[in-house]
Amino acid sequence: MSIVVTGATGHLGGLVIQHLLKKVPAHEIIASVRNVEKAEDLANLGIEVRYGDYMDVESMKKSFEGASKVLFISSPDLDDTLRIRQHANVAQAARDAGVKHIAYTGFAFAEESTLPLANVHLASEYAIRSTNIPYTFLRNALYAEVFVNPGLAASVASGELVTNAGTGKLNAVSRNDLALAAATVLTEEGHENKTYNLVNPQPWSFDELAQVLTDVSGKKVEHRSVSFDEMKEYLVNVGLPVPVAEFSAVIYHAISEGETARTTEDLQNLIGTPTSLKEAVKQALQGS
Ligand SMILES: NC(=O)c1ccc[n+]([C@@H]2O[C@H](COP(=O)([O-])OP(=O)(O)OC[C@H]3O[C@@H](n4cnc5c(N)ncnc54)[C@H](OP(=O)(O)O)[C@@H]3O)[C@@H](O)[C@H]2O)c1
């Protein structure tokens, strides 16, 4: 058996490979990367490193040769139409290389989302379906690290957590838990033609995050809920570029509208109990 992981030099891909190494020998894992030098540490672990660029179908096809399974990690490109083209390239390459099973990292409850990135993931799922390769859609939640990260030390220092998320709940999951779910799907039978919405079974609000920050730090932190425009201005004032500030405010707005409140047991069924909010906050503050 050989399992190809694309995006293997990225955060999620690197974690997936760490989990895979606990389940299968290194010689069964192939890293498909666009920058081979960046993957030296993977090669040192005994993992075969192959060149593959989502912009180049032939290179992806070569990187998939002989693969029984592929984990296709979505591109980080910010241009959504370009991203759809890249993803169609990868689907075409997987088809032409005769891949037996492809798992794709999409976005949870994509059909119901108002976020533009959801369209990229739906288009990519359809491109994969059009190949007739057995698939598993790993529809990932928003990463917990986007919200729970060492930057929270600033909220502890100021005593306030500012968002435009209101009382909306967030089903975010850590990259590590999502990586374990992917490694589980790649090494177990029975996941063909399944769609999993990998979200937190216990969604939390930013009021709850402020309370956990208070409990963990021992310093009172309150959630201050602001408008979309105030949030954008706040983020620009703390140094974020305008497009990033706007994107963050759009995400918080989607949370405020209840878009990320929905949950499933899909993640738990694959990995058991995911990392708790308290544990995530402890880790984030230790890393600050
Ligand atoms: N759920 C969420 O909250 C969330 C948040 C952010 C992103 N995402 C999505 O999840 C994906 C994985 O997340 P991550 O944290 O692992 O992202 P990441 O650390 O940015 O990793 C992205 C990976 O894609 C590779 N890549 C970029 N362009 C490529 C190309 N043209 N051809 C081949 N490989 C290419 C990168 O290679 P290099 O190392 O050479 O750059 C890297 O290995 C992201 O790419 C994005 O689609 C999800």
Side-chain angles (χ1 to χ4, degrees):
M1 183 170 85
S2 56
I3 303 172
V4 178
V5 178
T6 75
T9 48
H11 293 97
L12 184 67
L15 290 166
V16 171
I17 286 182
Q18 283 178 30
H19 286 293
L20 281 177
L21 284 169
K22 293 178 201 150
K23 296 172 185 285
V24 297
H27 67 80
E28 291 186 10
I29 305 171
I30 297 166
S32 169
V33 301
R34 67 167 168 178
N35 181 347
V36 171
E37 277 116 69
K38 204 173 163 188
E40 204 184 323
D41 54 336
L42 297 176
N44 290 339
L45 292 169
I47 290 167
E48 185 185 345
V49 175
R50 294 182 182 172
Y51 169 72
D53 190 319
Y54 296 166
M55 298 300 293
D56 173 2
V57 181
E58 272 308 305
S59 72
M60 290 313 298
K61 186 181 160 196
K62 278 195 191 124
S63 79
F64 290 159
E65 260 162 26
S68 19
K69 301 195 181 202
V70 166
L71 174 63
F72 168 19
I73 291 186
S74 53
S75 160
D77 208 287
L78 296 178
D79 178 332
D80 284 345
T81 53
L82 176 64
R83 209 142 70 112
I84 290 172
R85 288 209 297 282
Q86 291 178 333
H87 290 186
N89 284 342
V90 178
Q92 182 186 342
R95 180 198 66 190
D96 294 350
V99 167
K100 303 282 180 287
H101 178 188
I102 185 163
Y104 169 72
T105 60
F107 186 55
F109 304 116
E111 290 95 344
E112 295 151 40
S113 176
T114 61
L115 295 173
L117 61 91
N119 292 321
V120 172
H121 292 296
L122 287 174
S124 307
E125 289 184 359
Y126 278 102
I128 291 166
R129 282 175 191 265
S130 74
T131 65
N132 284 326
I133 301 170
Y135 63 82
T136 309
F137 294 144
L138 302 167
R139 291 178 159 191
N140 287 344
L142 290 170
Y143 295 152
E145 289 83 353
V146 173
F147 311 92
V148 183
N149 57 49
L152 285 176
S155 295
V156 172
S158 67
E160 64 174 18
L161 175 65
V162 181
T163 80
N164 58 316
T167 54
K169 293 224 172 198
L170 177 57
N171 53 16
V173 178
S174 73
R175 277 195 191 87
N176 190 48
D177 287 341
L178 293 169
L180 177 55
T184 304
V185 162
L186 292 167
T187 53
E188 278 184 2
E189 296 303 315
H191 298 292
E192 285 83 0
N193 301 329
K194 299 266 171 66
T195 297
Y196 298 128
N197 287 290
L198 300 175
V199 295
N200 196 322
Q202 287 188 298
W204 44 265
S205 68
F206 284 82
D207 290 343
E208 285 168 71
L209 175 56
Q211 185 56 52
V212 174
L213 276 172
T214 303
D215 295 344
V216 171
S217 70
K219 202 169 164 283
K220 180 81 185 151
V221 180
E222 283 189 279
H223 176 216
R224 180 158 68 89
S225 193
V226 296
S227 70
F228 182 93
D229 287 339
E230 285 167 332
M231 186 67 202
K232 218 173 107 180
E233 198 185 327
Y234 174 85
L235 292 173
V236 170
N237 285 341
V238 298
L240 290 193
V242 173
V244 180
E246 169 112 27
F247 183 70
S248 302
V250 166
I251 299 273
Y252 284 123
H253 178 71
I255 298 168
S256 76
E257 295 286 292
E259 255 195 46
T260 55
R262 196 169 157 195
T263 192
T264 67
E265 290 183 358
D266 291 350
L267 181 69
Q268 261 171 310
N269 290 342
L270 289 172
I271 70 162
T273 307
T275 310
S276 68
L277 178 59
K278 190 166 189 177
E279 187 50 40
V281 166
K282 276 187 190 162
Q283 287 172 13
L285 292 182
Q286 272 163 14
S288 64

